[in-house]
Amino acid sequence: MNIIKKYFGLDETHTSIKIEFLAGLTTFISMSYILFVNPSVLGASGMDKGAVFTATALASALGTAIMGIVANYPIGEAPALGINAFFAYTVCIGMHVKWQTALASVFVASVLFILITLLKLREKIINSIPADLKFAISSGIGLFIAFLGLQNSGMIVGNKATLVSIGSLENPLVWITIFGLLLTVVLMILNIPGSIFIGMVFAAIFGIVIGQIAVPTKFISFAPSLQPIFGQAIYHIGDINTVQMVVVVLTFLLVTFFDTAGTLIGLAQQAGFIKNNKMPRVGKALAADSTAMMAGSVLGTSPVGAFVESSSGIAVGGRTGLTAVFISIFFLISMLFSPLLSIFTAQVTAPALIIVGVLMAQNTAHIHWDRLEIAVPAFLILLGMPLTYSISDGISLGMITYPICMIAAKKYKEITPMMWVLFFIFIIFLWILNIK
């Protein structure tokens, strides 16, 4: 135990094995939906859903373990939502690219990712972002995941006339989230340890009681074979021989780069790791998710990256890589006990996302709203993330407008060379995303 405490620095960060365990369990439960969502999304491309389930669990476990042991961050890794939809619906279905070739594209993008990380370009980019924009990124992620939670619960639904509107309270599934949300809020106000996790457990029980969540018929299910998809990324590298495929590789690289960078900044900001506008061990954290992306492509899944749901474990008190190690262990265990995860539905985990969104949005207090040249790009980041349904798109809106606003305020000398580089990169990034 002493070795574990010393290695992860539990005493220095004022945490304990018990707190880290609870944080890891909370984050895992918040992330666990990806085990079922990812096979469903990638399955649309023709991939074997059972194999994708196993690949998702293994890639998540490996990436998270690296993040915890090497970078000592309480951050979980898993195939990212959004980019998996791009993989299946845009690349495979829309561009008529075979899923094997799409996996090869992810592999090549991950190699470029690692090279950029080794050259410390990612680290320099993250440290060059002004503190106000870092706070905006953190808060924007909070709004984004709260929006996800409201959407997953059915409390917010699509509307052709107004884009979104409030859901129907006649839907019993909505009440699972309402029950869990109110219970979690009360527990947190009362300062009950593990409030978010307790809220999810009782929400699941409530769902079972009202007959909206089925009790599993069995408790153990061995993991499906990886054989249909394993190694296909390597075998099909030669397929990347057209301009179209180069664009696909660049898109995977850019989206994953800025999604994971934005997520890491937001989570580090929430946990209080960023000091003097610097993120400690950022190089190791970036190396962890780039390595996870490569391993994930070989296993047979879309890009792996830092998961915003890690914020739920941080809110519980997770502060070291031990939290990530526990998350990794839970992902491995989930391969055997996957039927139990079915009770933690999207409606059950939604309250955690909403509450954490509230906590992360508190960082808006640190933004200099009285300076319009700061307020405009910060606001666009905040609003852009939930409205574009993309962390990277939201960041791009702020990064493009920041230099323009600073020039207008006659403060162009405060714009660092790296911020100018980001200005042009994000313009190219948005252009690439809009190529039809």
Side-chain angles (χ1 to χ4, degrees):
M1 291 298 180
N2 288 330
I3 295 176
I4 294 176
K5 288 182 178 180
K6 185 176 180 180
Y7 182 85
F8 291 104
L10 301 187
D11 293 335
E12 293 87 335
T13 49
H14 308 291
T15 183
S16 65
I17 293 177
K18 180 181 178 181
I19 292 174
E20 298 288 298
F21 175 84
L22 186 60
L25 183 59
T26 301
T27 294
F28 169 72
I29 290 174
S30 297
M31 292 175 65
S32 62
Y33 68 86
I34 197 62
L35 290 166
F36 303 98
V37 174
N38 202 45
S40 176
V41 173
L42 297 188
S45 69
M47 297 181 70
D48 182 278
K49 292 183 179 181
V52 173
F53 171 86
T54 303
T56 301
L58 288 175
S60 301
L62 178 61
T64 304
I66 295 172
M67 179 65 75
I69 296 171
V70 176
N72 198 21
Y73 273 115
I75 295 174
E77 300 263 325
L81 284 177
I83 192 67
N84 61 356
F86 172 80
F87 179 105
Y89 296 103
T90 301
V91 177
C92 295
I93 297 176
M95 297 181 178
H96 306 290
V97 174
K98 295 186 298 182
W99 61 263
Q100 294 93 334
T101 305
L103 281 178
S105 300
V106 175
F107 179 82
V108 173
S110 69
V111 172
L112 296 175
F113 215 177
I114 291 175
L115 290 175
I116 291 173
T117 301
L118 292 176
L119 293 173
K120 296 188 177 180
L121 287 177
R122 292 180 74 194
E123 187 173 347
K124 291 178 181 178
I125 290 171
I126 289 178
N127 287 333
S128 71
I129 298 174
D132 289 274
L133 297 191
K134 281 196 175 92
F135 285 121
I137 290 170
S138 174
S139 302
I141 291 174
L143 296 181
F144 178 64
I145 63 174
F147 181 64
L148 281 177
L150 290 168
Q151 183 188 46
N152 290 343
S153 69
M155 295 173 68
I156 296 294
V157 297
N159 186 300
K160 290 184 178 179
T162 60
L163 293 183
V164 293
S165 62
I166 193 166
S168 173
L169 295 180
E170 294 182 357
N171 180 0
L173 291 173
V174 172
W175 285 100
I176 296 176
T177 296
I178 293 175
F179 174 83
L181 180 60
L182 293 177
L183 175 61
T184 304
V185 168
V186 171
L187 292 174
M188 291 189 72
I189 292 174
L190 294 175
N191 293 317
I192 303 298
S195 300
I196 294 176
F197 175 65
I198 294 172
M200 285 193 291
V201 170
F202 277 92
I205 294 173
F206 177 77
I208 292 173
V209 170
I210 65 174
Q212 296 301 308
I213 297 178
V215 178
T217 56
K218 58 181 180 179
F219 299 99
I220 297 178
S221 177
F222 291 104
S225 171
L226 273 178
Q227 193 275 329
I229 59 176
F230 182 78
Q232 293 299 317
I234 305 294
Y235 302 144
H236 290 267
I237 290 178
D239 294 346
I240 304 174
N241 52 18
T242 65
V243 174
Q244 181 191 52
M245 292 313 303
V246 170
V247 170
V248 170
V249 170
L250 289 175
T251 303
F252 278 131
L253 177 65
L254 289 171
V255 173
T256 307
F257 181 108
F258 292 113
D259 267 4
T260 55
T263 302
L264 283 172
I265 290 172
L267 295 172
Q269 196 76 262
Q270 179 198 1
F273 294 141
I274 294 182
K275 305 295 182 183
N276 300 318
N277 202 34
K278 302 288 184 180
M279 182 176 169
R281 306 182 307 282
V282 63
K284 292 181 178 179
L286 295 172
D289 64 36
S290 57
T291 303
M293 180 178 172
M294 175 181 283
S297 67
V298 175
L299 288 169
T301 184
S302 52
V304 175
F307 241 58
V308 292
E309 283 80 2
S310 303
S311 52
S312 60
I314 291 173
V316 169
R319 288 296 180 274
T320 76
L322 185 57
T323 293
V325 171
F326 281 126
I327 297 170
S328 178
I329 293 172
F330 290 132
F331 267 114
L332 292 177
I333 293 174
S334 71
M335 295 170 64
L336 294 176
F337 297 94
S338 57
L340 290 178
L341 297 175
S342 64
I343 67 172
F344 290 98
T345 63
Q347 291 78 25
V348 171
T349 59
L353 301 181
I354 297 169
I355 288 295
V356 170
V358 174
L359 298 177
M360 295 185 74
Q362 294 174 4
N363 281 315
T364 55
H366 303 296
I367 298 172
H368 290 86
W369 294 109
D370 55 332
R371 294 176 55 189
L372 197 58
E373 67 274 15
I374 292 295
V376 171
F379 181 75
L380 289 176
I381 290 174
L382 283 169
L383 196 62
M385 288 188 188
L387 292 189
T388 63
Y389 214 71
S390 167
I391 292 172
S392 55
D393 287 349
I395 294 174
S396 69
L397 296 178
M399 294 299 177
I400 291 173
T401 54
Y402 174 76
I404 298 172
C405 291
M406 292 297 284
I407 290 174
K410 298 180 180 179
K411 296 179 180 179
Y412 53 87
K413 291 183 179 180
E414 295 181 26
I415 306 173
T416 63
M418 186 59 74
M419 289 303 293
W420 276 116
V421 172
L422 289 177
F423 171 78
F424 290 107
I425 285 178
F426 273 108
I427 289 176
I428 296 170
F429 168 72
L430 290 180
W431 176 73
I432 289 176
L433 283 184
N434 284 278
I435 289 178
K436 302 299 182 181

